[in-house]
Amino acid sequence: MAPLLKIRSERDQMSAIERRIADFILENAHLLRDYSSQQLASALGISQSSVVKFSQKLGFKGYPDLKYSVGEAIARNTGQDEAGRVLALADDPHAALAEDLWRQKARAEEETRLINPPERIDAIAAAIGGAGRVFVIGLDGDGVLARAFALKLSLLGILTVHHFDPVLMATSVSAAGTGDVLLVFSEHGGQVALSQISRQFHERKGKVISVTRYTANPLRAHADASLLVSAHDDRAHIEPLLYQSALQHLLDLIFVLLCEGGERMARLEANRERIQLMLEP
C-alpha cells in the first residue's frame, strides 16, 4: 500500500501526537527526504521516539524506511501525473479540475476500501440479505444516499422500511424483531435521535449497522457492525463530494454482492420491467 494513502486512511484513529506527525508528512511529503527523525521531532515539538513509534505502527522498520518509501512513491507518481496533465490541458480547459477531482475521489474510495476489510463487507451483506426486514434512515444530506440504497434493496425483493423522519422511524422500529436489520446513515454519527433509535432497535433484538466516517462517534459505538468512510480535503466544498463518492462506491459493492445468485437477479429484472411499464406513456 502507498505510504501516504496508508497514513490518510489511518489518520482518524490516531492519537493527537500521531495526527500531528501524519499531517506534517502529508503536507510536506516532498520535503521529507531532507528531515531526519530528530529534525522532524524538533519541528513538531515532540520526542524522537514518537516519530520512530509512528513509523513502526504503520508497519515500517523505522523512520528511514518510511522516508524512503514516501520518496519512492512521490518519484513514481510525479512523472505520470505531469504527463497526464499536459495531455489533458491541451484538449480541455476543465481537464485539470476534472482530473484533480477524479484523483481525489479515487483516493477516498481506496482509503475507504482499506478500512473495510472483505470479511466485514461480506458479513454486512449477509446480514442485510438474510434479514426479515431492513430499516433504513438518514437525516439531511445522509438521507439522499440512504433513500437510494433503500430503493435498491427493494428492487432486489428485500423488504425495506425507509424513513427520513426519526419520529416515524421510532414508530416503525417498535414493530421490529429478531432477524431485522437497521441501517443508520450519519456522516459524523452525532445525532442524538439516531442513537436513541439504535438503542430501541437493540431492545427489539434487531441488529444495527452504522454508516459513518472513520471516527469514534456515539452512533458507531451503539452499532453491531459499521461501514466506515475515509475522505479528507482541506477545501470545504470538495470534502463532502469525496465522502459521498466513497460511500456510494462502498454501497454499490454491497449491492453487487447482494445481487449474486439467480433469485435476486430475477426479482431485480422483474421489478425493473414493472417500473418501466409504469413510466411508459
Side-chain angles (χ1 to χ4, degrees), residues 10-261:
E10 296 292 333
R11 184 188 179 281
D12 289 341
Q13 297 298 299
M14 293 178 180
S15 67
I17 290 179
E18 289 170 344
R19 283 197 297 271
R20 288 172 61 191
I21 301 172
D23 291 342
F24 183 90
I25 292 175
L26 292 172
E27 295 169 8
N28 303 279
H30 60 293
L31 300 175
L32 197 63
R33 65 180 182 275
D34 299 324
Y35 281 81
S36 66
S37 59
Q38 182 59 61
Q39 289 171 325
L40 178 56
S42 298
L44 294 174
I46 60 177
S47 67
Q48 185 178 12
S49 63
S50 295
V51 176
V52 176
K53 290 177 182 178
F54 173 85
S55 304
Q56 293 173 339
K57 188 174 181 179
L58 289 172
F60 296 96
K61 295 178 181 178
Y63 175 74
D65 189 26
L66 169 61
K67 182 168 68 170
Y68 175 80
S69 182
V70 170
E72 189 177 50
I74 291 175
R76 184 169 57 249
N77 293 332
T78 299
Q80 297 175 353
D81 292 347
E82 287 301 321
R85 189 172 292 107
V86 169
L87 290 174
L89 287 173
D91 299 326
D92 184 351
H94 297 154
L97 179 63
E99 181 190 5
D100 177 66
L101 183 58
W102 174 85
R103 197 177 301 281
Q104 296 300 326
K105 285 183 175 182
R107 178 178 294 164
E109 289 167 8
E110 187 173 359
E111 291 174 9
T112 296
R113 187 172 66 253
L114 291 172
I115 60 176
N116 291 277
E119 55 271 20
R120 178 189 300 165
I121 298 297
D122 289 339
I124 289 176
I128 294 173
R133 287 169 295 182
V134 178
F135 295 75
V136 182
I137 185 170
L139 308 182
D140 302 323
D142 296 297
V144 177
L145 289 176
R147 179 180 180 182
F149 191 61
L151 176 58
K152 286 186 173 74
L153 296 181
S154 297
L155 289 173
L156 291 176
I158 297 172
L159 183 56
T160 307
V161 180
H162 168 255
H163 288 301
F164 54 83
D165 185 327
V167 175
L168 293 177
M169 181 56 82
T171 302
S172 296
V173 161
S174 65
T178 304
D180 291 338
V181 168
L182 171 65
L183 273 169
V184 192
F185 289 70
S186 176
E187 180 175 354
H188 300 288
Q191 291 100 327
V192 175
L194 296 183
S195 293
Q196 291 174 342
I197 290 172
S198 297
R199 286 194 292 269
Q200 293 169 13
F201 202 79
H202 274 142
E203 292 172 0
R204 306 298 301 176
K205 308 302 180 183
K207 183 173 186 177
V208 177
I209 299 173
S210 64
V211 184
T212 71
R213 280 189 173 273
Y214 187 35
T215 57
N217 59 74
L219 189 59
R220 183 181 172 191
H222 290 128
D224 298 289
S226 298
L227 287 175
L228 304 169
V229 179
S230 177
H232 304 282
D233 197 282
D234 293 333
R235 296 165 291 181
H237 63 298
I238 297 295
E239 188 168 59
L241 303 181
L242 304 186
Y243 176 85
Q244 294 162 11
S245 176
L247 176 53
Q248 184 63 68
H249 190 74
L250 187 60
L251 295 174
D252 287 345
L253 174 58
I254 292 176
F255 175 72
V256 170
L257 290 173
L258 290 170
C259 285
E260 293 182 349

